Amino acid sequence: MADIRHTNWVDGAHQPPTKELIHVINPATEASIATIDATPLETVSSIIESSLKNFSSGVWSQTDASTRFTVLSKAATLLRSRLPEFINLETQQTGRPIREMKAQLSRIPEWLEYFASLARTHEGRVTPFKGPVINTLTRLPLGVVVHITPWNHPLLIATKKIAAALAAGNTVIVKPSESAPLSVLKMGKLFQEAGLPDGTLQIVSGYGRETGKFLCESRLIAKIDLTGGLATYEAIAPNASKNLIPITAELGGKAPVCFFPSMPVEKGVKAALFASFIASGQTCVTGSRLLIHSDIYDEFVELLVSRTKTLRVGDPTDDKTQIGAVISRASVDRCSAFVERAIVDGGKLLCGGEPTTVDAKGFFFQPTLIETKADSDLACNEVFGPVIALIKCSSEEDIIQVANATSFALGASVWTDDFNQAHRVAEKIDAGLVWINGHHLNDPSSPWGGFKESGMGKENGIEAFESYTKVKSTIINYGQEPTWFDDEVENARYG
């Protein structure tokens, strides 16, 4: 059976297919499940120009807040009613277990509802301007914004960005990952049904190194919101800087998961499994470094290894599967390379460490635990796979020092039943997100973003909404007479 062709969504319609196509591969079966457009750069240029024309028309950028609320709220309702088809599509294109996708996608409509409400309720303010003057501050949309979205959470991350940008009144161009673009490409029609004016949301597929880079280099765009790697940021930042285009960037992590003796070992092991192996370790906040206090280390590791060996690697469409595929053959090779280097560095392989298959097919890697040093390659660099570093720490101070000893600072979690210790440690960990007795917790109201090489700016919350706006200051003089060139200069206002 021929692959289904999913074409670009531009100006309210799926476009004719381009000459060059890209195959979308199911990583669990290695079969091509669809094709998408490799969009020519001249077409991308025309899409940018069309988007700017749409923004300038005011059809969305100047509409009132109640209309934005209505459209985004209806989009949430439509998405919630169609979740099964999106869930199946996400499982096919990412290889993630369907049980994970059911849980994740069921929450995505909340982002549309939250930013719909924020569009309706967010208010300007009046500053305490000196004298008989009123200074009002209003927030205006930026213009055409570009979203570069990843393959690991295709619909979630795209929706987080789209909801905030549309709520603020912008026109949006989304470039989903060529590895998992299908669910995002379906969103164009859904938003149209919700009442979004045609051309306000454009969805353009292609290779990141070509289509994505070209989008980010245009002088006509007003903002870039990127989720990806540091190399991608480094490729687009110089031109963005030259063109004075702001960037929100979520670039990766090496999240420490910190376990203290007051936490029951059984509970801690369950927490470690959840933090480390959701999405086969392919999240930016994967609990990829388990920092375990020496007082519980041996008991903890023994139980963790036993439980890890029983995790069910299998067909992602089976509800019983716990560990699905990684995204590609290159990802399998990357995991293998990290394991090999870790052992050369003196690490001790406790379980896993090998590629595997399901029915002799697919890009799978065994859940892997390696005991290693805090300064090893495995402990400091992002694997983006189910290869986890275990580090024995002697004290609270040692755990804090190790937690902060990488170039990443996105997420971290602290597991302890000592209330004072929980807050004391969380305060000292350098990360944009610190969970206490939790991991992977997310909410549309909670700002998400890291420090250091993990990026800049925030998704979620008022912070994200405001980052898609520019502030206009209107200063109204209702009683101060101009006096600068009069004889009486003592009351003159200047500067």
Side-chain angles (χ1 to χ4, degrees), residues 291-338:
L291 314 187
I292 307 164
H293 195 284
S294 57
D295 288 356
I296 58 170
Y297 185 84
D298 292 341
E299 181 185 0
F300 191 105
V301 171
E302 182 181 4
L303 181 57
L304 178 62
V305 170
S306 174
R307 291 289 305 278
T308 301
K309 288 178 178 178
T310 67
L311 293 175
R312 293 186 294 272
V313 179
D315 177 0
T317 64
D318 186 339
D319 276 315
K320 295 181 180 179
T321 293
Q322 295 172 303
I323 305 293
V326 293
I327 194 65
S328 65
R329 177 68 63 193
S331 183
V332 171
D333 293 343
R334 179 177 172 85
C335 290
S336 294
F338 265 97

mmCIF file of all heavy atoms in Angstrom, residues 291-338:
data_model
loop_
_atom_site.group_PDB
_atom_site.id
_atom_site.type_symbol
_atom_site.label_atom_id
_atom_site.label_comp_id
_atom_site.label_asym_id
_atom_site.label_seq_id
_atom_site.Cartn_x
_atom_site.Cartn_y
_atom_site.Cartn_z
ATOM 1 N N LEU A 291 21.463 10.328 41.511
ATOM 2 C CA LEU A 291 22.435 10.648 42.570
ATOM 3 C C LEU A 291 21.901 10.055 43.860
ATOM 4 O O LEU A 291 20.922 10.547 44.432
ATOM 5 C CB LEU A 291 22.620 12.157 42.682
ATOM 6 C CG LEU A 291 22.808 12.940 41.364
ATOM 7 C CD1 LEU A 291 23.157 14.392 41.650
ATOM 8 C CD2 LEU A 291 23.843 12.285 40.479
ATOM 9 N N ILE A 292 22.547 8.999 44.328
ATOM 10 C CA ILE A 292 22.009 8.189 45.418
ATOM 11 C C ILE A 292 22.925 8.290 46.638
ATOM 12 O O ILE A 292 24.141 8.050 46.543
ATOM 13 C CB ILE A 292 21.877 6.721 44.983
ATOM 14 C CG1 ILE A 292 21.075 6.637 43.662
ATOM 15 C CG2 ILE A 292 21.206 5.887 46.062
ATOM 16 C CD1 ILE A 292 21.206 5.306 42.954
ATOM 17 N N HIS A 293 22.331 8.648 47.769
ATOM 18 C CA HIS A 293 23.101 8.788 49.006
ATOM 19 C C HIS A 293 23.703 7.438 49.402
ATOM 20 O O HIS A 293 23.052 6.390 49.294
ATOM 21 C CB HIS A 293 22.195 9.317 50.116
ATOM 22 C CG HIS A 293 22.931 9.840 51.303
ATOM 23 N ND1 HIS A 293 23.517 9.007 52.245
ATOM 24 C CD2 HIS A 293 23.199 11.108 51.717
ATOM 25 C CE1 HIS A 293 24.087 9.738 53.181
ATOM 26 N NE2 HIS A 293 23.919 11.027 52.877
ATOM 27 N N SER A 294 24.933 7.473 49.859
ATOM 28 C CA SER A 294 25.662 6.236 50.172
ATOM 29 C C SER A 294 24.974 5.384 51.221
ATOM 30 O O SER A 294 25.130 4.152 51.234
ATOM 31 C CB SER A 294 27.084 6.572 50.618
ATOM 32 O OG SER A 294 27.072 7.448 51.735
ATOM 33 N N ASP A 295 24.202 6.002 52.111
ATOM 34 C CA ASP A 295 23.544 5.234 53.177
ATOM 35 C C ASP A 295 22.513 4.254 52.629
ATOM 36 O O ASP A 295 22.190 3.254 53.294
ATOM 37 C CB ASP A 295 22.854 6.179 54.169
ATOM 38 C CG ASP A 295 23.840 6.936 55.036
ATOM 39 O OD1 ASP A 295 25.060 6.664 54.918
ATOM 40 O OD2 ASP A 295 23.407 7.790 55.832
ATOM 41 N N ILE A 296 21.954 4.520 51.437
ATOM 42 C CA ILE A 296 20.940 3.633 50.856
ATOM 43 C C ILE A 296 21.380 3.065 49.513
ATOM 44 O O ILE A 296 20.623 2.335 48.869
ATOM 45 C CB ILE A 296 19.590 4.372 50.683
ATOM 46 C CG1 ILE A 296 19.765 5.626 49.796
ATOM 47 C CG2 ILE A 296 18.979 4.715 52.025
ATOM 48 C CD1 ILE A 296 18.447 6.281 49.383
ATOM 49 N N TYR A 297 22.601 3.365 49.111
ATOM 50 C CA TYR A 297 23.023 3.068 47.751
ATOM 51 C C TYR A 297 22.903 1.586 47.396
ATOM 52 O O TYR A 297 22.293 1.225 46.380
ATOM 53 C CB TYR A 297 24.464 3.548 47.533
ATOM 54 C CG TYR A 297 24.944 3.390 46.105
ATOM 55 C CD1 TYR A 297 24.654 4.357 45.147
ATOM 56 C CD2 TYR A 297 25.670 2.266 45.708
ATOM 57 C CE1 TYR A 297 25.080 4.219 43.832
ATOM 58 C CE2 TYR A 297 26.101 2.119 44.395
ATOM 59 C CZ TYR A 297 25.805 3.099 43.468
ATOM 60 O OH TYR A 297 26.212 2.953 42.160
ATOM 61 N N ASP A 298 23.477 0.710 48.185
ATOM 62 C CA ASP A 298 23.510 -0.706 47.825
ATOM 63 C C ASP A 298 22.116 -1.306 47.728
ATOM 64 O O ASP A 298 21.793 -2.010 46.761
ATOM 65 C CB ASP A 298 24.352 -1.488 48.847
ATOM 66 C CG ASP A 298 25.828 -1.134 48.770
ATOM 67 O OD1 ASP A 298 26.264 -0.592 47.726
ATOM 68 O OD2 ASP A 298 26.544 -1.365 49.761
ATOM 69 N N GLU A 299 21.285 -1.024 48.705
ATOM 70 C CA GLU A 299 19.919 -1.551 48.691
ATOM 71 C C GLU A 299 19.137 -0.972 47.520
ATOM 72 O O GLU A 299 18.389 -1.677 46.830
ATOM 73 C CB GLU A 299 19.225 -1.215 50.009
ATOM 74 C CG GLU A 299 17.804 -1.740 50.108
ATOM 75 C CD GLU A 299 17.081 -1.300 51.374
ATOM 76 O OE1 GLU A 299 17.697 -0.565 52.193
ATOM 77 O OE2 GLU A 299 15.910 -1.685 51.531
ATOM 78 N N PHE A 300 19.312 0.310 47.289
ATOM 79 C CA PHE A 300 18.597 1.000 46.204
ATOM 80 C C PHE A 300 18.985 0.408 44.854
ATOM 81 O O PHE A 300 18.112 0.075 44.030
ATOM 82 C CB PHE A 300 18.945 2.489 46.257
ATOM 83 C CG PHE A 300 18.105 3.370 45.379
ATOM 84 C CD1 PHE A 300 17.113 4.174 45.920
ATOM 85 C CD2 PHE A 300 18.295 3.415 44.004
ATOM 86 C CE1 PHE A 300 16.329 4.994 45.123
ATOM 87 C CE2 PHE A 300 17.525 4.235 43.200
ATOM 88 C CZ PHE A 300 16.542 5.023 43.760
ATOM 89 N N VAL A 301 20.268 0.270 44.614
ATOM 90 C CA VAL A 301 20.742 -0.197 43.309
ATOM 91 C C VAL A 301 20.325 -1.643 43.069
ATOM 92 O O VAL A 301 19.928 -2.011 41.951
ATOM 93 C CB VAL A 301 22.267 -0.024 43.206
ATOM 94 C CG1 VAL A 301 22.805 -0.708 41.950
ATOM 95 C CG2 VAL A 301 22.632 1.454 43.192
ATOM 96 N N GLU A 302 20.394 -2.457 44.081
ATOM 97 C CA GLU A 302 19.988 -3.860 43.918
ATOM 98 C C GLU A 302 18.533 -3.965 43.461
ATOM 99 O O GLU A 302 18.209 -4.710 42.523
ATOM 100 C CB GLU A 302 20.175 -4.615 45.236
ATOM 101 C CG GLU A 302 19.815 -6.092 45.135
ATOM 102 C CD GLU A 302 19.988 -6.837 46.454
ATOM 103 O OE1 GLU A 302 20.320 -6.188 47.472
ATOM 104 O OE2 GLU A 302 19.779 -8.068 46.468
ATOM 105 N N LEU A 303 17.658 -3.230 44.104
ATOM 106 C CA LEU A 303 16.244 -3.277 43.740
ATOM 107 C C LEU A 303 16.012 -2.616 42.375
ATOM 108 O O LEU A 303 15.216 -3.112 41.568
ATOM 109 C CB LEU A 303 15.401 -2.592 44.817
ATOM 110 C CG LEU A 303 13.888 -2.594 44.580
ATOM 111 C CD1 LEU A 303 13.360 -4.021 44.428
ATOM 112 C CD2 LEU A 303 13.173 -1.863 45.711
ATOM 113 N N LEU A 304 16.707 -1.514 42.115
ATOM 114 C CA LEU A 304 16.533 -0.809 40.840
ATOM 115 C C LEU A 304 16.941 -1.695 39.669
ATOM 116 O O LEU A 304 16.241 -1.763 38.649
ATOM 117 C CB LEU A 304 17.345 0.478 40.837
ATOM 118 C CG LEU A 304 17.288 1.297 39.541
ATOM 119 C CD1 LEU A 304 15.868 1.765 39.251
ATOM 120 C CD2 LEU A 304 18.242 2.492 39.617
ATOM 121 N N VAL A 305 18.064 -2.373 39.788
ATOM 122 C CA VAL A 305 18.516 -3.261 38.708
ATOM 123 C C VAL A 305 17.505 -4.374 38.486
ATOM 124 O O VAL A 305 17.148 -4.705 37.339
ATOM 125 C CB VAL A 305 19.911 -3.833 39.027
ATOM 126 C CG1 VAL A 305 20.284 -4.933 38.033
ATOM 127 C CG2 VAL A 305 20.963 -2.729 39.011
ATOM 128 N N SER A 306 17.021 -4.957 39.582
ATOM 129 C CA SER A 306 16.031 -6.033 39.477
ATOM 130 C C SER A 306 14.775 -5.559 38.753
ATOM 131 O O SER A 306 14.254 -6.247 37.862
ATOM 132 C CB SER A 306 15.677 -6.545 40.874
ATOM 133 O OG SER A 306 14.640 -7.489 40.819
ATOM 134 N N ARG A 307 14.290 -4.376 39.114
ATOM 135 C CA ARG A 307 13.072 -3.846 38.506
ATOM 136 C C ARG A 307 13.298 -3.435 37.052
ATOM 137 O O ARG A 307 12.421 -3.615 36.202
ATOM 138 C CB ARG A 307 12.560 -2.655 39.314
ATOM 139 C CG ARG A 307 12.004 -3.001 40.690
ATOM 140 C CD ARG A 307 10.669 -3.724 40.575
ATOM 141 N NE ARG A 307 9.725 -2.974 39.793
ATOM 142 C CZ ARG A 307 8.977 -1.966 40.270
ATOM 143 N NH1 ARG A 307 9.072 -1.612 41.542
ATOM 144 N NH2 ARG A 307 8.123 -1.328 39.493
ATOM 145 N N THR A 308 14.468 -2.889 36.751
ATOM 146 C CA THR A 308 14.765 -2.468 35.378
ATOM 147 C C THR A 308 14.779 -3.663 34.440
ATOM 148 O O THR A 308 14.298 -3.581 33.297
ATOM 149 C CB THR A 308 16.103 -1.713 35.326
ATOM 150 O OG1 THR A 308 16.039 -0.561 36.171
ATOM 151 C CG2 THR A 308 16.437 -1.280 33.909
ATOM 152 N N LYS A 309 15.312 -4.784 34.913
ATOM 153 C CA LYS A 309 15.382 -5.987 34.077
ATOM 154 C C LYS A 309 14.009 -6.533 33.723
ATOM 155 O O LYS A 309 13.868 -7.274 32.736
ATOM 156 C CB LYS A 309 16.197 -7.067 34.787
ATOM 157 C CG LYS A 309 17.688 -6.781 34.843
ATOM 158 C CD LYS A 309 18.429 -7.877 35.596
ATOM 159 C CE LYS A 309 19.930 -7.645 35.619
ATOM 160 N NZ LYS A 309 20.641 -8.705 36.390
ATOM 161 N N THR A 310 12.997 -6.179 34.502
ATOM 162 C CA THR A 310 11.643 -6.697 34.246
ATOM 163 C C THR A 310 10.794 -5.758 33.389
ATOM 164 O O THR A 310 9.645 -6.094 33.066
ATOM 165 C CB THR A 310 10.898 -6.967 35.565
ATOM 166 O OG1 THR A 310 10.648 -5.729 36.242
ATOM 167 C CG2 THR A 310 11.699 -7.902 36.466
ATOM 168 N N LEU A 311 11.316 -4.581 33.042
ATOM 169 C CA LEU A 311 10.546 -3.659 32.206
ATOM 170 C C LEU A 311 10.254 -4.306 30.861
ATOM 171 O O LEU A 311 11.118 -4.927 30.252
ATOM 172 C CB LEU A 311 11.314 -2.347 32.015
ATOM 173 C CG LEU A 311 11.497 -1.482 33.265
ATOM 174 C CD1 LEU A 311 12.387 -0.288 32.949
ATOM 175 C CD2 LEU A 311 10.154 -1.022 33.815
ATOM 176 N N ARG A 312 9.024 -4.127 30.388
ATOM 177 C CA ARG A 312 8.578 -4.782 29.168
ATOM 178 C C ARG A 312 8.878 -3.917 27.941
ATOM 179 O O ARG A 312 8.226 -2.896 27.698
ATOM 180 C CB ARG A 312 7.078 -5.086 29.243
ATOM 181 C CG ARG A 312 6.713 -6.121 30.285
ATOM 182 C CD ARG A 312 5.233 -6.501 30.209
ATOM 183 N NE ARG A 312 4.361 -5.385 30.553
ATOM 184 C CZ ARG A 312 3.964 -5.093 31.787
ATOM 185 N NH1 ARG A 312 4.385 -5.819 32.810
ATOM 186 N NH2 ARG A 312 3.160 -4.073 32.017
ATOM 187 N N VAL A 313 9.887 -4.341 27.175
ATOM 188 C CA VAL A 313 10.194 -3.716 25.888
ATOM 189 C C VAL A 313 9.349 -4.409 24.832
ATOM 190 O O VAL A 313 9.344 -5.644 24.758
ATOM 191 C CB VAL A 313 11.687 -3.854 25.547
ATOM 192 C CG1 VAL A 313 11.983 -3.225 24.193
ATOM 193 C CG2 VAL A 313 12.551 -3.242 26.641
ATOM 194 N N GLY A 314 8.612 -3.652 24.032
ATOM 195 C CA GLY A 314 7.759 -4.341 23.077
ATOM 196 C C GLY A 314 7.069 -3.432 22.089
ATOM 197 O O GLY A 314 7.429 -2.256 21.919
ATOM 198 N N ASP A 315 6.057 -3.972 21.446
ATOM 199 C CA ASP A 315 5.253 -3.286 20.445
ATOM 200 C C ASP A 315 4.585 -2.070 21.091
ATOM 201 O O ASP A 315 3.796 -2.210 22.022
ATOM 202 C CB ASP A 315 4.204 -4.257 19.916
ATOM 203 C CG ASP A 315 3.251 -3.630 18.906
ATOM 204 O OD1 ASP A 315 3.394 -2.434 18.596
ATOM 205 O OD2 ASP A 315 2.342 -4.354 18.440
ATOM 206 N N PRO A 316 4.859 -0.870 20.599
ATOM 207 C CA PRO A 316 4.281 0.333 21.214
ATOM 208 C C PRO A 316 2.755 0.377 21.188
ATOM 209 O O PRO A 316 2.150 1.076 22.008
ATOM 210 C CB PRO A 316 4.878 1.479 20.397
ATOM 211 C CG PRO A 316 6.119 0.910 19.806
ATOM 212 C CD PRO A 316 5.811 -0.524 19.537
ATOM 213 N N THR A 317 2.127 -0.347 20.270
ATOM 214 C CA THR A 317 0.667 -0.317 20.201
ATOM 215 C C THR A 317 0.013 -1.242 21.219
ATOM 216 O O THR A 317 -1.216 -1.235 21.355
ATOM 217 C CB THR A 317 0.184 -0.701 18.792
ATOM 218 O OG1 THR A 317 0.566 -2.059 18.509
ATOM 219 C CG2 THR A 317 0.774 0.216 17.742
ATOM 220 N N ASP A 318 0.801 -2.016 21.939
ATOM 221 C CA ASP A 318 0.302 -2.917 22.977
ATOM 222 C C ASP A 318 0.232 -2.158 24.297
ATOM 223 O O ASP A 318 1.231 -1.595 24.749
ATOM 224 C CB ASP A 318 1.241 -4.116 23.101
ATOM 225 C CG ASP A 318 0.719 -5.184 24.056
ATOM 226 O OD1 ASP A 318 -0.141 -4.874 24.914
ATOM 227 O OD2 ASP A 318 1.201 -6.327 23.965
ATOM 228 N N ASP A 319 -0.931 -2.146 24.924
ATOM 229 C CA ASP A 319 -1.101 -1.421 26.190
ATOM 230 C C ASP A 319 -0.191 -1.935 27.296
ATOM 231 O O ASP A 319 0.045 -1.228 28.278
ATOM 232 C CB ASP A 319 -2.562 -1.507 26.657
ATOM 233 C CG ASP A 319 -3.439 -0.454 26.000
ATOM 234 O OD1 ASP A 319 -3.012 0.708 25.930
ATOM 235 O OD2 ASP A 319 -4.541 -0.804 25.554
ATOM 236 N N LYS A 320 0.317 -3.139 27.170
ATOM 237 C CA LYS A 320 1.180 -3.704 28.211
ATOM 238 C C LYS A 320 2.647 -3.296 28.052
ATOM 239 O O LYS A 320 3.442 -3.473 28.964
ATOM 240 C CB LYS A 320 1.065 -5.234 28.200
ATOM 241 C CG LYS A 320 -0.316 -5.747 28.586
ATOM 242 C CD LYS A 320 -0.354 -7.271 28.569
ATOM 243 C CE LYS A 320 -1.745 -7.772 28.951
ATOM 244 N NZ LYS A 320 -1.814 -9.268 28.915
ATOM 245 N N THR A 321 2.992 -2.761 26.892
ATOM 246 C CA THR A 321 4.377 -2.349 26.654
ATOM 247 C C THR A 321 4.746 -1.154 27.523
ATOM 248 O O THR A 321 4.015 -0.174 27.602
ATOM 249 C CB THR A 321 4.588 -2.013 25.171
ATOM 250 O OG1 THR A 321 4.452 -3.201 24.398
ATOM 251 C CG2 THR A 321 5.964 -1.402 24.925
ATOM 252 N N GLN A 322 5.901 -1.243 28.170
ATOM 253 C CA GLN A 322 6.393 -0.158 29.022
ATOM 254 C C GLN A 322 7.509 0.643 28.360
ATOM 255 O O GLN A 322 7.656 1.843 28.615
ATOM 256 C CB GLN A 322 6.890 -0.733 30.350
ATOM 257 C CG GLN A 322 5.790 -1.369 31.188
ATOM 258 C CD GLN A 322 6.341 -2.085 32.399
ATOM 259 O OE1 GLN A 322 7.177 -2.988 32.284
ATOM 260 N NE2 GLN A 322 5.885 -1.691 33.573
ATOM 261 N N ILE A 323 8.328 0.000 27.540
ATOM 262 C CA ILE A 323 9.444 0.656 26.870
ATOM 263 C C ILE A 323 9.283 0.465 25.366
ATOM 264 O O ILE A 323 9.236 -0.663 24.865
ATOM 265 C CB ILE A 323 10.804 0.074 27.314
ATOM 266 C CG1 ILE A 323 10.958 0.145 28.834
ATOM 267 C CG2 ILE A 323 11.947 0.808 26.613
ATOM 268 C CD1 ILE A 323 11.057 1.545 29.399
ATOM 269 N N GLY A 324 9.181 1.572 24.651
ATOM 270 C CA GLY A 324 9.036 1.507 23.208
ATOM 271 C C GLY A 324 10.362 1.697 22.501
ATOM 272 O O GLY A 324 11.441 1.473 23.063
ATOM 273 N N ALA A 325 10.285 2.136 21.269
ATOM 274 C CA ALA A 325 11.467 2.323 20.441
ATOM 275 C C ALA A 325 12.134 3.663 20.721
ATOM 276 O O ALA A 325 11.536 4.568 21.304
ATOM 277 C CB ALA A 325 11.077 2.237 18.970
ATOM 278 N N VAL A 326 13.382 3.781 20.290
ATOM 279 C CA VAL A 326 13.997 5.097 20.135
ATOM 280 C C VAL A 326 13.737 5.536 18.695
ATOM 281 O O VAL A 326 13.256 4.764 17.873
ATOM 282 C CB VAL A 326 15.496 5.079 20.476
ATOM 283 C CG1 VAL A 326 15.689 4.796 21.958
ATOM 284 C CG2 VAL A 326 16.267 4.052 19.635
ATOM 285 N N ILE A 327 14.019 6.759 18.369
ATOM 286 C CA ILE A 327 13.482 7.352 17.149
ATOM 287 C C ILE A 327 14.127 6.847 15.863
ATOM 288 O O ILE A 327 13.489 6.847 14.810
ATOM 289 C CB ILE A 327 13.566 8.905 17.208
ATOM 290 C CG1 ILE A 327 12.703 9.540 16.106
ATOM 291 C CG2 ILE A 327 15.015 9.356 17.145
ATOM 292 C CD1 ILE A 327 11.222 9.299 16.235
ATOM 293 N N SER A 328 15.381 6.375 15.914
ATOM 294 C CA SER A 328 16.069 6.054 14.663
ATOM 295 C C SER A 328 17.240 5.126 14.913
ATOM 296 O O SER A 328 17.661 4.900 16.052
ATOM 297 C CB SER A 328 16.586 7.339 13.994
ATOM 298 O OG SER A 328 17.576 7.941 14.820
ATOM 299 N N ARG A 329 17.773 4.619 13.818
ATOM 300 C CA ARG A 329 18.993 3.816 13.905
ATOM 301 C C ARG A 329 20.138 4.639 14.475
ATOM 302 O O ARG A 329 20.963 4.135 15.260
ATOM 303 C CB ARG A 329 19.365 3.305 12.503
ATOM 304 C CG ARG A 329 20.673 2.514 12.445
ATOM 305 C CD ARG A 329 20.554 1.186 13.169
ATOM 306 N NE ARG A 329 19.554 0.339 12.529
ATOM 307 C CZ ARG A 329 19.055 -0.761 13.070
ATOM 308 N NH1 ARG A 329 19.460 -1.124 14.287
ATOM 309 N NH2 ARG A 329 18.154 -1.482 12.426
ATOM 310 N N ALA A 330 20.203 5.910 14.111
ATOM 311 C CA ALA A 330 21.254 6.776 14.641
ATOM 312 C C ALA A 330 21.150 6.897 16.150
ATOM 313 O O ALA A 330 22.171 6.979 16.854
ATOM 314 C CB ALA A 330 21.178 8.151 13.990
ATOM 315 N N SER A 331 19.936 6.908 16.678
ATOM 316 C CA SER A 331 19.749 6.980 18.122
ATOM 317 C C SER A 331 20.239 5.704 18.802
ATOM 318 O O SER A 331 20.857 5.748 19.878
ATOM 319 C CB SER A 331 18.275 7.226 18.451
ATOM 320 O OG SER A 331 18.082 7.363 19.837
ATOM 321 N N VAL A 332 19.965 4.554 18.190
ATOM 322 C CA VAL A 332 20.487 3.286 18.713
ATOM 323 C C VAL A 332 22.013 3.329 18.759
ATOM 324 O O VAL A 332 22.645 2.965 19.762
ATOM 325 C CB VAL A 332 20.018 2.098 17.843
ATOM 326 C CG1 VAL A 332 20.726 0.808 18.256
ATOM 327 C CG2 VAL A 332 18.512 1.927 17.948
ATOM 328 N N ASP A 333 22.612 3.805 17.688
ATOM 329 C CA ASP A 333 24.079 3.872 17.620
ATOM 330 C C ASP A 333 24.627 4.840 18.671
ATOM 331 O O ASP A 333 25.693 4.586 19.264
ATOM 332 C CB ASP A 333 24.520 4.304 16.225
ATOM 333 C CG ASP A 333 24.197 3.271 15.157
ATOM 334 O OD1 ASP A 333 23.940 2.102 15.510
ATOM 335 O OD2 ASP A 333 24.178 3.638 13.958
ATOM 336 N N ARG A 334 23.922 5.927 18.900
ATOM 337 C CA ARG A 334 24.361 6.895 19.902
ATOM 338 C C ARG A 334 24.333 6.270 21.296
ATOM 339 O O ARG A 334 25.274 6.434 22.079
ATOM 340 C CB ARG A 334 23.470 8.132 19.846
ATOM 341 C CG ARG A 334 23.812 9.219 20.859
ATOM 342 C CD ARG A 334 22.907 10.446 20.679
ATOM 343 N NE ARG A 334 23.095 11.416 21.737
ATOM 344 C CZ ARG A 334 24.030 12.353 21.747
ATOM 345 N NH1 ARG A 334 24.870 12.425 20.725
ATOM 346 N NH2 ARG A 334 24.122 13.205 22.748
ATOM 347 N N CYS A 335 23.277 5.530 21.593
ATOM 348 C CA CYS A 335 23.187 4.858 22.891
ATOM 349 C C CYS A 335 24.335 3.862 23.053
ATOM 350 O O CYS A 335 24.971 3.797 24.117
ATOM 351 C CB CYS A 335 21.843 4.145 23.024
ATOM 352 S SG CYS A 335 20.423 5.238 23.201
ATOM 353 N N SER A 336 24.589 3.086 22.008
ATOM 354 C CA SER A 336 25.672 2.098 22.056
ATOM 355 C C SER A 336 27.022 2.769 22.295
ATOM 356 O O SER A 336 27.859 2.285 23.067
ATOM 357 C CB SER A 336 25.718 1.294 20.755
ATOM 358 O OG SER A 336 24.561 0.503 20.599
ATOM 359 N N ALA A 337 27.243 3.892 21.633
ATOM 360 C CA ALA A 337 28.514 4.608 21.780
ATOM 361 C C ALA A 337 28.693 5.118 23.206
ATOM 362 O O ALA A 337 29.805 5.067 23.767
ATOM 363 C CB ALA A 337 28.579 5.763 20.788
ATOM 364 N N PHE A 338 27.613 5.623 23.817
ATOM 365 C CA PHE A 338 27.714 6.077 25.205
ATOM 366 C C PHE A 338 28.035 4.919 26.143
ATOM 367 O O PHE A 338 28.831 5.072 27.081
ATOM 368 C CB PHE A 338 26.414 6.762 25.635
ATOM 369 C CG PHE A 338 26.439 8.258 25.489
ATOM 370 C CD1 PHE A 338 25.903 8.867 24.371
ATOM 371 C CD2 PHE A 338 27.013 9.060 26.470
ATOM 372 C CE1 PHE A 338 25.932 10.252 24.229
ATOM 373 C CE2 PHE A 338 27.048 10.437 26.345
ATOM 374 C CZ PHE A 338 26.504 11.037 25.213
#
